Amino acid sequence: MDNISYVIFTVSGPKDFKANKYVYFAFTIMVYFLIILFNLTLIVTIIRERALHEPMYIFLCNLCFNGLYGTAGFYPKFISDILHETYVISYTWCFLQAFVIYTSSMCEYTTLVVMAYDRYVAICKPLEYHSIMTTRAIVKLLVFCWVFPFIAMSNAIVLASRLPLCGFHIDRLYCDNWSVVKLSCVPTTTNNIYGFVVIMLFMAHAVFIVYSYMKLVHACQKSKENKNKFMQTCMPHLLSLINFTIAVLFDVMFSRYGSRDFPNSVRDFLQLEILLFPPLFDPVIYGLKLTEIRKRVLQKHKERKINVSRPKRN
């Protein structure tokens, strides 16, 4: 293992990828810029506005920060690779990239779980909300959002790094743990069992989300006020959850069942969906649906326009 210096992976883009590399370069930079802009806008708005220092907005801020963290593990390297003829990454950086991308995906999910719990308490137990969602409870939930993914992925990386490899070609746009495991020269039973355990833990989280929404729907039937709360604050969460779930399914489909016979455009989409739609659309969904967020963003935008148009005094 000490002699491993590079793991090579392929950017399986469109057939005319090299001929139009500057077009793809510009498009990718634009997408990454929008991801940074949208997420930073919500983060700065939530931090600066004291009225938004509520649990729901704090968890949203964490979701946006996680979007920046995860995409930082992919886009800078990918943008650089577009202009190169070969696409290589060192053994250490390959595992680091896999760690960042997949801890971010796991953190996205744990944050959505915590947000479901927050909405459950807010709508189903409104009189107890502030006694349950204390500052200490919020900190614990935020720690859970990050610690669980970091521990889960750290163990997976350690197990994969101990495997002797019989090949160093990863047919993906980025490094991932499962692709490295598939290159092993020895049986990977331990890795497979550990992966199954992690999946079961996340399935338990999914059960909790389903349970929370069953309670929320039941509460909405009892009160028009609860129904309005659900439409205002739960719909963005539900849309983000659906968006993320679809992205994960696409990624799993490609990792487990992806075929070289798939068209290049399909292969690219299956890989990139998880790094494109959740971090790009989460802040848009919440920015459009949450009145307080939308109102403050528009207010700041109007203030900037007024300041720019106002003539300077000598």
Side-chain angles (χ1 to χ4, degrees), residues 98-99 102-103 106 148-158 177 194:
F99 180 82
Y102 281 94
T103 51
M106 292 178 182
F148 179 74
F150 270 61
I151 292 176
M153 198 60 202
S154 294
N155 292 333
I157 293 293
V158 169
N177 189 67
Y194 180 75

Side-chain angles (χ1 to χ4, degrees), residues 35 38-39 67 71 108 273-283:
I35 289 173
F38 291 164
N39 285 279
T71 52
E108 173 104 3
E273 214 273 349
I274 198 169
L275 291 162
L276 176 61
F277 290 104
L280 185 61
F281 289 131
D282 280 351

Side-chain angles (χ1 to χ4, degrees), residues 99-197:
F99 180 82
V100 171
I101 291 174
Y102 281 94
T103 51
S104 174
S105 298
M106 292 178 182
C107 186
E108 173 104 3
Y109 191 61
T110 52
T111 302
L112 289 171
V113 171
V114 166
M115 293 175 82
Y117 173 70
D118 172 71
R119 292 299 85 203
Y120 162 73
V121 176
I123 294 177
C124 298
K125 300 182 179 181
L127 298 179
E128 304 173 46
Y129 181 74
H130 290 290
S131 62
I132 294 176
M133 300 302 292
T134 61
T135 302
R136 186 173 182 179
I138 294 170
V139 171
K140 287 181 178 179
L141 290 171
L142 289 174
V143 169
F144 164 75
C145 288
W146 288 95
V147 171
F148 179 74
F150 270 61
I151 292 176
M153 198 60 202
S154 294
N155 292 333
I157 293 293
V158 169
L159 289 173
S161 65
R162 292 180 177 180
L163 296 172
L165 305 181
C166 288
F168 307 105
H169 176 79
I170 297 177
D171 191 21
R172 284 186 66 107
L173 298 179
Y174 55 87
C175 286
D176 72 299
N177 189 67
W178 177 246
S179 294
V180 175
V181 171
K182 289 192 293 185
L183 297 174
S184 174
C185 303
V186 298
T188 58
T189 305
T190 302
N191 301 73
N192 294 337
I193 292 174
Y194 180 75
F196 178 77
V197 171

Side-chain angles (χ1 to χ4, degrees), residues 242-252 270 273-274 277-278:
I242 293 171
N243 184 31
F244 177 70
T245 302
I246 292 173
V248 170
L249 289 176
F250 276 135
D251 186 69
V252 171
L270 291 174
E273 214 273 349
I274 198 169
F277 290 104

Side-chain angles (χ1 to χ4, degrees), residues 14 16 23-24 28 86 95 103 112 132 146 160 164 184 189 224 252 266 298-299 303 306:
D16 60 346
V23 174
Y24 290 106
T28 307
T86 57
F95 276 115
T103 51
L112 289 171
I132 294 176
W146 288 95
S184 174
T189 305
K224 186 176 180 180
V252 171
V266 175
L298 291 175
Q299 181 181 350
E303 289 176 358
I306 292 172

Side-chain angles (χ1 to χ4, degrees), residues 199-268:
I199 290 173
M200 288 299 100
L201 289 173
F202 276 96
M203 288 299 294
H205 294 159
V207 171
F208 175 79
I209 291 177
V210 172
Y211 172 79
S212 298
Y213 269 93
M214 288 175 62
K215 290 290 186 179
L216 286 168
V217 171
H218 181 69
C220 289
Q221 294 175 347
K222 296 181 178 179
S223 166
K224 186 176 180 180
E225 181 183 356
N226 286 342
K227 186 177 181 179
N228 291 334
K229 283 184 180 179
F230 181 89
M231 295 302 297
Q232 176 64 30
T233 63
C234 293
M235 283 306 294
H237 175 267
L238 193 57
L239 291 172
S240 293
L241 185 63
I242 293 171
N243 184 31
F244 177 70
T245 302
I246 292 173
V248 170
L249 289 176
F250 276 135
D251 186 69
V252 171
M253 284 172 58
F254 181 84
S255 297
R256 303 283 174 168
Y257 310 110
S259 170
R260 290 180 180 273
D261 297 329
F262 284 3
N264 286 333
S265 57
V266 175
R267 289 163 58 85
D268 289 346

